[in-house]
């Protein structure tokens, strides 16, 4: 499936990953950088930590995060199933990994043996590369001899990282769990440095990644249910031959990205599942609202995510500004369709899930 990388802008996630051994155990460590996406319930992620996403009046903080940085450090097996699941869940376009496996001393952290020796570590590195190739993810080896994928320098956590975190989230005491994952933070350091993100002041939201918050899928499961069409035309593929192709009736590139994310990250929380189904139910039952949005409001809507990134990176041209202007003129179509749907509700009825 084509990845979203346009005009040098990062629209799909990027990942830095390494596999290490501690005794007989394998540990997959990773950092995933992606455009920041607000939670479906509308709350800012920082609210869970006591950090505000808005001011006391309830208005959203305009200087919110632009990038989401999630760190993972999970036990793995001989087949690197956890790594496989992280890649399916996050869908990165590009992966960075060390050119050489860590030494036995580095893996042991000064403690016990590295279980399997350097030969086993090299085998894990080959497996990592095979998984990336199987999922159609572009890879970029990073020379590990220059300190990459090693514990980051002390000033990274004391000065660089606080400067990169979004306003209201720069207190490192909020991120004790993330910082305890030293291998994952090493991946984060590689990712930010390699992608020239060290000057993105106040733009990053740091979080702890988890494989438990969504239904866990690996590449074999995704292929078995034909979740997405195969990458790079590796075999002939019929139209509507995958679940994504069948469900993709999206009118915008933003909708296609959202659908991909939902398919990669199936919900497990019943409350979130029901909230999403309530919206689907209203759009299914209210034919007039659905047609108004699909045929009028959404038609011709530009890729706002790409335009936002261009503005942030100061790469927007006159044509991009014109696209934003024409979209602003279409906003009354959205507002009118939603207001009309709300007026149709009877007194005493529960509020619309679209409100």
């Amino acid at each position: 499936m084509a990845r979203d990388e346009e005009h040098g802008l990062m629209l799909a996630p990027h990942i830095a990953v390494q596999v290490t051994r501690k005794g007989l155990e394998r540990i997959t460590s990773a950092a995933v950088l992606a455009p920041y996406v607000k939670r479906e319930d509308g709350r800012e992620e920082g609210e869970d930590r006591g950090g505000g996403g808005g001011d006391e009046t309830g208005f959203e903080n305009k200087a919110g995060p632009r990038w989401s940085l999630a760190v993972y450090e999970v036990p793995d097996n001989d087949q690197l199933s956890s790594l496989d699941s992280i890649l399916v869940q996050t869908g990165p376009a590009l992966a960075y990994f060390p050119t050489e496996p860590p030494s036995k001393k580095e893996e042991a952290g000064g403690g016990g043996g590295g279980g399997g020796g350097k030969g086993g570590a090299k085998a894990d590195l080959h497996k990592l590369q095979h998984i990336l190739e199987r999922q159609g993810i572009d890879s970029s080896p990073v020379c590990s001899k220059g300190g990459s994928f090693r514990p980051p320098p002390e000033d990274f956590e004391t000065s660089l990282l606080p400067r990169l975190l979004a306003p209201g989230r720069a207190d490192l005491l909020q991120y004790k769990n993330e910082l305890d994952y030293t291998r994952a933070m090493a991946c984060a350091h590689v990712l930010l440095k390699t992608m020239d993100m060290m000057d993105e002041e106040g733009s990053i939201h740091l979080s702890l990644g988890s494989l438990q918050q969504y239904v866990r899928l690996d590449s074999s499961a995704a292929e078995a249910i034909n979740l997405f069409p195969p990458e790079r035309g590796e075999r002939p593929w019929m139209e509507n031959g995958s679940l994504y192709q069948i469900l993709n009736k999206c009118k915008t590139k933003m909708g296609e990205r959202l659908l991909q994310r939902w398919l990669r990250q199936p919900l497990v929380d019943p409350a979130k599942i029901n909230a999403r189904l309530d919206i689907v139910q209203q759009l299914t039952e209210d034919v007039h609202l659905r047609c108004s949005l699909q045929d009028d409001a959404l038609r011709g809507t530009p890729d706002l995510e790409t335009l936002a990134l261009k503005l942030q990176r100061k790469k927007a041209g006159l044509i991009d500004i014109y696209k934003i202007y024409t979209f602003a003129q279409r906003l009354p179509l959205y507002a009118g369709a939603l207001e009309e749907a709300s007026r149709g509700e009877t007194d005493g009825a529960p509020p619309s899930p679209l409100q």
Side-chain angles (χ1 to χ4, degrees):
M1 220 168 105
R3 309 279 181 177
D4 278 312
E5 297 294 315
E6 301 176 10
H7 312 293
L9 301 173
M10 190 187 81
L11 297 172
H14 287 199
I15 187 172
V17 60
Q18 63 174 329
V19 178
T20 55
R21 295 193 179 198
K22 187 175 182 180
L24 298 177
E25 297 179 354
R26 289 176 177 80
I27 297 176
T28 289
S29 305
V32 180
L33 187 72
Y36 180 77
V37 177
K38 210 169 185 180
R39 290 179 3 175
E40 286 187 52
D41 57 13
R43 298 173 62 200
E44 294 282 351
E45 296 283 355
E47 294 178 24
D48 295 337
R49 302 176 186 267
D55 58 24
E56 293 180 357
T57 62
F59 290 98
E60 182 182 350
N61 187 341
K62 294 182 180 179
R66 297 196 298 271
W67 307 102
S68 171
L69 178 63
V71 292
Y72 296 79
E73 197 160 300
V74 294
D76 220 327
N77 57 25
D78 181 62
Q79 302 303 316
L80 303 186
S81 299
S82 293
L83 168 64
D84 199 4
S85 295
I86 290 173
L87 296 174
V88 171
Q89 186 181 103
T90 57
L94 180 63
Y96 301 95
F97 60 90
T99 55
E100 295 184 2
S103 67
K104 185 174 179 180
K105 180 179 179 181
E106 289 169 335
E107 288 189 326
K118 197 170 184 67
K122 284 189 175 181
D124 289 342
L125 185 57
H126 289 314
K127 291 175 185 176
L128 186 157
Q129 293 174 278
H130 174 72
I131 292 173
L132 293 175
E133 183 178 349
R134 178 179 178 181
Q135 294 201 28
I137 300 170
D138 293 332
S139 59
S140 179
V142 177
C143 182
S144 49
K145 291 184 178 180
S148 297
F149 290 96
R150 307 293 194 266
E154 185 176 345
D155 65 341
F156 175 67
E157 293 185 4
T158 58
S159 60
L160 290 176
L161 187 58
R163 179 167 54 83
L164 295 174
L165 294 174
R169 299 171 176 82
D171 183 2
L172 292 183
L173 293 177
Q174 302 178 47
Y175 303 103
K176 182 180 183 304
N177 292 335
E178 288 87 343
L179 297 177
D180 284 344
Y181 287 165
T182 55
R183 295 181 181 89
M185 293 308 298
C187 293
H189 181 253
V190 169
L191 195 57
L192 295 172
K193 183 178 179 180
T194 306
M195 297 183 64
D196 295 325
M197 301 289 287
M198 291 299 191
D199 294 328
E200 296 276 343
E201 296 189 16
S203 65
I204 290 177
H205 172 262
L206 179 64
S207 65
L208 195 62
S210 172
L211 290 173
Q212 309 306 320
Q213 57 183 330
Y214 305 110
V215 174
R216 182 165 173 172
L217 296 172
D218 58 19
S219 57
S220 297
E223 290 176 5
I225 62 175
N226 291 332
L227 192 61
F228 295 108
E231 293 283 351
R232 300 172 181 169
E234 58 190 41
R235 63 177 184 269
W237 198 252
M238 67 184 73
E239 185 178 358
N240 294 332
S242 69
L243 183 59
Y244 170 78
Q245 291 170 298
I246 293 172
L247 295 177
N248 183 17
K249 309 299 180 185
C250 300
K251 297 292 186 179
T252 68
K253 294 286 284 185
M254 299 172 290
E256 291 179 354
R257 293 188 200 107
L258 179 61
L259 177 59
Q260 288 182 38
R261 191 161 62 247
W262 281 7
L263 291 177
R264 291 182 182 278
Q265 303 172 353
L267 296 174
V268 294
D269 185 335
K272 292 181 180 179
I273 293 173
N274 288 328
R276 188 179 290 180
L277 290 177
D278 288 342
I279 296 175
V280 173
Q281 181 179 4
Q282 177 163 2
L283 291 173
T284 301
E285 296 177 349
D286 193 333
V287 178
H288 178 71
L289 171 62
R290 187 175 71 251
C291 292
S292 296
L293 292 174
Q294 284 188 320
D295 298 336
D296 296 328
L298 288 172
R299 188 177 298 276
T301 297
D303 189 345
L304 297 176
E305 292 173 340
T306 298
L307 293 175
L309 284 175
K310 284 187 176 183
L311 289 171
Q312 291 167 6
R313 294 295 180 118
K314 298 181 180 180
K315 293 184 177 181
L318 184 59
I319 186 65
D320 300 312
I321 303 301
Y322 178 72
K323 288 179 180 179
I324 296 173
Y325 168 73
T326 55
F327 171 72
Q329 291 184 311
R330 300 177 64 85
L331 283 176
L333 293 176
Y334 289 92
L338 295 174
E339 287 175 0
E340 185 175 348
S342 299
R343 284 197 299 268
E345 297 175 4
T346 58
D347 292 337
S352 165
L354 293 175
Q355 289 181 348

